[in-house]
Amino acid sequence: MKAEIIAVGTELLLGQIVNTNAQYLSQELAALGIDVYFQTVVGDNKERLKEAIRQAQGRADVLVFSGGIGPTQDDLTKDAIAEVLGRDLRNDRPAMDKIAEFFADRGVPMTDNNKRQALVIDGCTPLPNATGLAVGVAISDEAGHHYIVLPGPPSELKPMFEAEAKPWLLHQVLTDEMPLYSRILKFAGIGESALEDKLLDLIDAQTDPTIAPYAKEGEVAIRLSTKAHDIQEADKKLTALEVQIQSRLPQHMYASEDVAIEETIVKMMADLGLTVSAAESCTGGMVMESLTTVPGSAAMLRGGIVCYSNEMKEKLLNVPHDYLEGEDAPGAVSREVVEVLAEQIRMITDTDYGLSVTGVAGPGYSERKPVGLVYIGISERGSETEVFELRIKGNRDTVRKRSTKTLLYRLWLRLLQAEKQD
Amino acid sequence: MKAEIIAVGTELLLGQIVNTNAQYLSQELAALGIDVYFQTVVGDNKERLKEAIRQAQGRADVLVFSGGIGPTQDDLTKDAIAEVLGRDLRNDRPAMDKIAEFFADRGVPMTDNNKRQALVIDGCTPLPNATGLAVGVAISDEAGHHYIVLPGPPSELKPMFEAEAKPWLLHQVLTDEMPLYSRILKFAGIGESALEDKLLDLIDAQTDPTIAPYAKEGEVAIRLSTKAHDIQEADKKLTALEVQIQSRLPQHMYASEDVAIEETIVKMMADLGLTVSAAESCTGGMVMESLTTVPGSAAMLRGGIVCYSNEMKEKLLNVPHDYLEGEDAPGAVSREVVEVLAEQIRMITDTDYGLSVTGVAGPGYSERKPVGLVYIGISERGSETEVFELRIKGNRDTVRKRSTKTLLYRLWLRLLQAEKQD
């Protein structure tokens, strides 16, 4: 089954927004076993949109539209499809009621153009919009083409695809096929190509479940997918493969769901009743900022210190002056200093773990040390402090992010050990 | 003049990456006065790519390609265009030399497929690749179509467009027209629609220079563009409009180039010889992390403290215990506490400014205070401490980011005053 994704909106052609919907829909369709051959973006112009629809009919079975179903006269997606199909538009009663209620609640008069959002194509399955006002559309024509119309805002498109369009595809279009079940596996401390290397024989031999890379910026993930009669059968197959993968990468696979490593860390620390703090130099707060993206992190992250200047390293973190300055001093970017930072922050904040990082983020050398040289440290109550030297290639942004990710990965490894001892 | 952007790459159709190149190219072409009517994404398949090219020939004058010019057999963009145009491919000598040198430098043997990156279409203008190995192509055909072929990685595509493709367009294609000059204006502390409101008459009356919103995530910007015989004439026109806009929004327009407010702040503080520190609760380090994205920030950001727990607020920042706990205590999220935090961090680190933030990022209430209630503070040596109460709508991520942006905006306003007094 072949699909084409058609995004409608002049704002995309002007570059005012980026077409993230195409990525989301491509991933979702691929997971359903539907091949996307083309993605098209067209402006809010009915004739050009109709041209794009006719062209897509010639090369795809499933046409998925995003955008162009809002209240303005520029919103023409449903009109264009209805004209191509030779059908009428009609009002969807539940959508109409929802719009009326929305304006009544706010005590604002409803203007006529807002009614446009309740329009659907005659004979279609309306797709309710849980997070917005514009109703979606799913419809099949006599020639065997299937059309799905979704809103443009990702906050409306994603829930509508998940709750309405995907079930419609599964029940109305992919009827001959068994339902598809997926599982995301997340990895840290390993690159995409090294991961592929470790799993090469599994990837090459894959039939059921399938293994596919699952793209997320700055993260390494794969998606396992299988068709099964029910979720029990699917779970059995997915778990068998997951166990196999996990046994090859016990030091890297940190989750079997789509979560960031920060979330896994916060959950593990909460379960173990452990606390953490950090002393950050070149990352300027990024490690703590990452951990505090997770709700509930207040229970384990007590706080920490950003010691961007040597003065602060001395004053707030008791780094000996002769570590920092003088001819034979190891300098701020050194094993010696990162070790003191980790131990001191742990003692000052009285936490189970103390994290630290110091390095040359660039641009430009510092202390005659190269850009990308970074030291990270982990101090643990009653254990030796671990120190790692990193040599990161890339610009300031890359050096800071990679340092943060590596430190979190190392903390996760320590928590794995703590779990075993628990 | 009409353009179509054609992105080539199966990784886009699988949703493994998002097509940010289309946004960049759309903005750049719009700034040149070229209208983009369609964006197309097609996989690494020569027949489908040729189909897309022929179709674009029917509806555009300028065809801009991204991707599909790397070393593998899947990289077919130049092959497909050459076939459609009935031309041969040939080696570009400078590109070939660069590839050979690259491998010689690394002491790695060059495999044959790498030579593919030096291929160009007969009769074209080769576009050198300053940040990669694959050479680009610019060529016009007899029917008056213009083709530009760029690499897929944004780190190669952007410099090649700016340094090579844009001048080619200006000199070979837009010859009848005067060159176009642009200027970006950046704003803070104001939303996009409020900004538009303030400039509505200017936007409605715009002819030359034109005013267009310039999209950047989480930032508010506009682009002024004008055609002129030379840069002096352009500067005069752009500056006249800039001054007009600036005089309407002196408290919001922070730069007349595309920089983040952090960069402006670091530059102003460096010029004034001022220093800053921060005490962060709900933002968990985001304020300091933002400032340290800027190279050279070490000169002004001494450091700071993330005081995520009440204990740390007391211990490291001397917040009185009875501010934090007890029936009548104002609590950690309060004017009283944010004021102490700002003043204490300034004194502890001995800086000119002390920033502070405490709030309820959510999810879930805290101290019976609503999600989105945030206090920010700025303490200045020898001045009264300013405290602001924010009520931010949105999720945890939004609350944290908006708090950070607002605090940076308030700091910039203080620096404006300091500049005047200087």
Side-chain angles (χ1 to χ4, degrees):
Chain A
M1 183 131 325
K2 291 184 285 186
E4 176 154 348
I5 296 168
I6 300 178
V8 186
T10 301
E11 67 278 17
L12 287 162
L13 295 181
L14 290 171
Q16 289 171 2
I17 54 172
V18 62
N19 192 7
T20 55
N21 287 335
Q23 180 183 35
Y24 169 80
L25 292 170
S26 293
Q27 289 199 349
E28 291 297 320
L29 292 169
L32 291 171
I34 298 173
D35 297 318
V36 177
Y37 274 12
F38 290 93
Q39 296 168 357
T40 300
V41 178
V42 54
D44 300 311
N45 174 294
K46 194 155 71 180
E47 288 316 309
R48 284 198 284 278
L49 178 50
K50 282 162 71 177
E51 181 191 330
I53 295 167
R54 289 204 192 92
Q55 176 187 288
Q57 286 175 330
R59 57 194 193 187
D61 310 299
V62 180
L63 284 67
V64 183
F65 298 81
S66 63
I69 65 170
T72 79
Q73 293 301 320
D74 284 346
D75 289 303
L76 294 163
T77 305
K78 292 169 186 169
D79 307 63
I81 299 171
E83 286 186 21
V84 171
L85 295 183
R87 301 207 188 198
D88 290 329
L89 292 173
R90 64 167 182 83
N91 264 313
D92 179 53
R93 177 52 47 196
M96 197 64 222
D97 291 347
K98 194 176 169 189
I99 295 167
E101 199 182 320
F102 176 88
F103 284 94
D105 273 4
R106 275 152 193 77
V108 181
M110 176 175 66
T111 53
D112 259 5
N113 56 357
N114 274 291
K115 295 182 191 162
R116 287 181 53 77
Q117 300 185 89
L119 290 177
V120 292
I121 298 168
D122 219 17
C124 82
T125 303
L127 307 178
N129 188 336
T131 53
L133 294 181
V135 64
V137 161
I139 190 167
S140 304
D141 68 11
E142 294 73 20
H145 293 112
H146 309 283
Y147 307 79
I148 292 176
V149 183
L150 302 167
S155 61
E156 300 179 25
L157 176 134
K158 288 181 187 182
M160 190 186 287
F161 185 86
E162 187 62 31
E164 308 292 339
K166 192 163 136 185
W168 185 83
L169 279 170
L170 288 168
H171 294 122
Q172 305 292 327
V173 178
L174 305 168
T175 42
D176 295 341
E177 308 183 31
M178 281 190 290
L180 194 112
Y181 299 89
S182 294
R183 188 176 296 178
I184 307 281
L185 307 183
K186 299 291 293 275
F187 301 84
I190 187 167
E192 230 165 74
S193 52
L195 177 71
E196 262 186 55
D197 256 14
K198 292 269 188 196
L199 304 178
L200 207 55
D201 56 316
L202 293 177
I203 293 170
D204 282 346
Q206 65 172 303
T207 47
D208 177 35
T210 58
I211 306 174
Y214 181 72
K216 284 227 153 186
E217 207 203 318
E219 299 188 357
V220 174
I222 56 178
R223 165 142 61 178
L224 313 182
S225 303
T226 188
K227 291 184 175 170
H229 293 94
D230 54 43
I231 194 163
Q232 284 77 18
E233 187 193 335
D235 271 348
K236 215 174 135 185
K237 288 201 276 183
L238 294 172
T239 302
L241 182 56
E242 178 192 322
V243 166
Q244 215 178 342
I245 292 170
Q246 210 270 341
S247 73
R248 291 190 187 189
L249 298 142
Q251 305 289 305
H252 297 288
M253 195 185 114
Y254 70 82
S256 53
E257 58 183 322
D258 189 9
V259 293
I261 196 165
E262 298 89 283
E263 294 175 73
T264 300
I265 288 172
V266 166
K267 195 178 172 308
M268 286 169 95
M269 295 196 94
D271 289 347
L272 295 162
L274 295 171
T275 55
V276 67
S277 57
E280 304 187 48
S281 182
C282 65
T283 45
M286 196 185 275
V287 174
M288 291 183 273
E289 198 277 313
S290 298
L291 288 168
T292 56
T293 56
V294 186
S297 49
M300 34 73 68
L301 181 75
R302 290 254 171 98
I305 290 171
V306 175
C307 48
Y308 214 56
S309 65
N310 278 355
E311 212 181 325
M312 291 302 118
K313 289 183 184 74
E314 271 188 67
K315 185 170 172 192
L316 299 180
L317 287 147
N318 311 315
V319 175
H321 183 75
D322 57 5
Y323 277 27
L324 297 168
E325 272 155 54
E327 210 160 297
D328 298 328
V333 178
S334 65
R335 288 183 172 276
E336 290 82 347
V337 167
V338 91
E339 188 170 348
V340 175
L341 292 177
E343 287 168 3
Q344 285 293 319
I345 193 67
R346 184 179 64 70
M347 288 192 284
I348 291 166
T349 57
D350 189 26
T351 47
D352 298 297
Y353 294 94
L355 310 177
S356 65
V357 53
T358 178
V360 187
Y365 287 49
S366 164
E367 300 183 345
R368 278 162 293 147
K369 285 164 184 162
V371 172
L373 176 67
V374 177
Y375 292 92
I376 58 176
I378 303 184
S379 161
E380 183 180 345
R381 211 191 288 273
S383 294
E384 287 235 339
T385 298
E386 275 187 303
V387 170
F388 303 90
E389 180 183 298
L390 315 179
R391 290 178 181 267
I392 299 167
K393 280 187 187 154
N395 61 14
R396 183 175 179 87
D397 189 47
T398 305
V399 171
R400 287 156 46 94
K401 282 186 180 151
R402 200 76 54 87
S403 305
T404 300
K405 284 280 175 198
T406 308
L407 183 49
L408 292 175
Y409 166 61
R410 289 287 165 189
L411 174 60
W412 173 72
L413 284 180
R414 294 293 286 255
L415 294 171
L416 268 191
Q417 292 178 337
E419 267 188 347
K420 278 184 200 148
Q421 287 156 8
D422 198 45
Chain B
M1 185 126 329
K2 292 182 285 186
E4 175 154 349
I5 295 168
I6 301 178
V8 186
T10 301
E11 66 280 17
L12 288 161
L13 296 181
L14 289 171
Q16 288 170 5
I17 54 172
V18 63
N19 192 5
T20 54
N21 287 334
Q23 179 183 35
Y24 169 79
L25 292 170
S26 294
Q27 290 198 348
E28 292 298 319
L29 292 168
L32 292 171
I34 299 173
D35 297 318
V36 176
Y37 275 10
F38 290 93
Q39 295 168 357
T40 301
V41 179
V42 55
D44 300 310
N45 174 294
K46 193 155 70 178
E47 287 316 310
R48 284 197 284 277
L49 178 50
K50 282 163 71 177
E51 182 192 329
I53 295 168
R54 291 205 188 91
Q55 179 187 283
Q57 286 175 330
R59 59 194 192 188
D61 310 299
V62 181
L63 283 67
V64 183
F65 298 81
S66 64
I69 65 169
T72 78
Q73 292 301 320
D74 284 347
D75 289 303
L76 294 163
T77 304
K78 292 168 186 170
D79 307 62
I81 299 172
E83 286 185 22
V84 170
L85 295 184
R87 301 204 189 201
D88 288 330
L89 293 174
R90 64 166 182 86
N91 263 315
D92 179 54
R93 174 56 43 197
M96 197 64 222
D97 290 347
K98 192 175 171 192
I99 295 167
E101 199 182 321
F102 175 89
F103 283 94
D105 273 3
R106 275 155 193 75
V108 180
M110 176 175 65
T111 53
D112 259 4
N113 56 357
N114 274 292
K115 296 183 190 163
R116 286 181 55 77
Q117 299 184 89
L119 289 177
V120 292
I121 297 167
D122 219 18
C124 81
T125 304
L127 307 179
N129 188 337
T131 53
L133 295 182
V135 64
V137 161
I139 190 167
S140 303
D141 67 13
E142 293 74 20
H145 293 112
H146 310 283
Y147 306 79
I148 291 175
V149 183
L150 303 167
S155 61
E156 300 179 26
L157 176 135
K158 289 181 187 182
M160 190 186 288
F161 185 86
E162 188 62 30
E164 308 292 339
K166 193 164 138 184
W168 185 82
L169 278 169
L170 288 168
H171 295 122
Q172 304 293 327
V173 179
L174 305 168
T175 42
D176 295 340
E177 310 184 32
M178 282 191 290
L180 195 112
Y181 299 88
S182 294
R183 189 176 296 180
I184 306 280
L185 307 182
K186 300 288 296 269
F187 301 86
I190 188 167
E192 229 164 78
S193 52
L195 177 71
E196 262 187 54
D197 255 13
K198 292 268 187 197
L199 305 177
L200 207 54
D201 56 316
L202 294 176
I203 293 170
D204 282 347
Q206 64 173 305
T207 46
D208 177 35
T210 57
I211 306 174
Y214 181 73
K216 284 226 152 187
E217 208 204 317
E219 298 187 357
V220 174
I222 57 179
R223 163 142 61 180
L224 314 183
S225 303
T226 188
K227 289 183 176 172
H229 293 94
D230 53 42
I231 194 161
Q232 284 77 16
E233 185 193 336
D235 271 348
K236 214 173 137 186
K237 289 201 276 183
L238 294 172
T239 300
L241 182 56
E242 179 192 321
V243 166
Q244 215 178 341
I245 292 171
Q246 211 270 340
S247 73
R248 293 190 186 190
L249 298 143
Q251 305 289 305
H252 297 288
M253 198 185 112
Y254 70 83
S256 54
E257 58 183 322
D258 189 10
V259 293
I261 196 165
E262 297 90 280
E263 294 175 72
T264 299
I265 288 172
V266 166
K267 195 179 170 310
M268 288 169 92
M269 296 196 93
D271 289 348
L272 295 162
L274 296 171
T275 55
V276 66
S277 56
E280 304 187 49
S281 182
C282 67
T283 44
M286 196 185 276
V287 174
M288 293 183 272
E289 198 278 313
S290 298
L291 288 169
T292 55
T293 56
V294 186
S297 49
M300 34 74 67
L301 181 74
R302 291 256 171 95
I305 291 171
V306 175
C307 48
Y308 214 57
S309 65
N310 278 355
E311 211 180 326
M312 291 301 118
K313 291 182 182 76
E314 273 188 65
K315 186 171 172 189
L316 299 180
L317 287 147
N318 311 316
V319 175
H321 183 76
D322 56 6
Y323 277 26
L324 296 167
E325 269 155 57
E327 210 159 297
D328 298 327
V333 179
S334 65
R335 288 184 172 277
E336 291 82 349
V337 167
V338 90
E339 189 170 347
V340 175
L341 291 178
E343 288 168 2
Q344 285 293 319
I345 194 68
R346 184 179 63 70
M347 289 192 283
I348 291 167
T349 57
D350 189 27
T351 48
D352 299 297
Y353 293 94
L355 310 177
S356 64
V357 53
T358 177
V360 187
Y365 288 47
S366 163
E367 300 181 343
R368 279 160 293 147
K369 285 164 185 164
V371 172
L373 177 68
V374 177
Y375 293 92
I376 58 177
I378 303 185
S379 163
E380 183 182 344
R381 211 191 289 273
S383 295
E384 286 235 341
T385 297
E386 276 188 303
V387 171
F388 303 90
E389 181 182 297
L390 315 178
R391 289 177 182 269
I392 299 166
K393 279 185 188 156
N395 61 15
R396 183 176 180 86
D397 190 46
T398 305
V399 171
R400 287 157 44 97
K401 282 186 181 151
R402 199 77 53 87
S403 305
T404 300
K405 284 277 175 202
T406 308
L407 184 49
L408 293 175
Y409 167 61
R410 289 285 165 191
L411 174 61
W412 173 72
L413 284 179
R414 293 293 286 256
L415 294 172
L416 268 192
Q417 291 179 339
E419 267 188 346
K420 277 181 202 150
Q421 289 156 11
D422 197 40

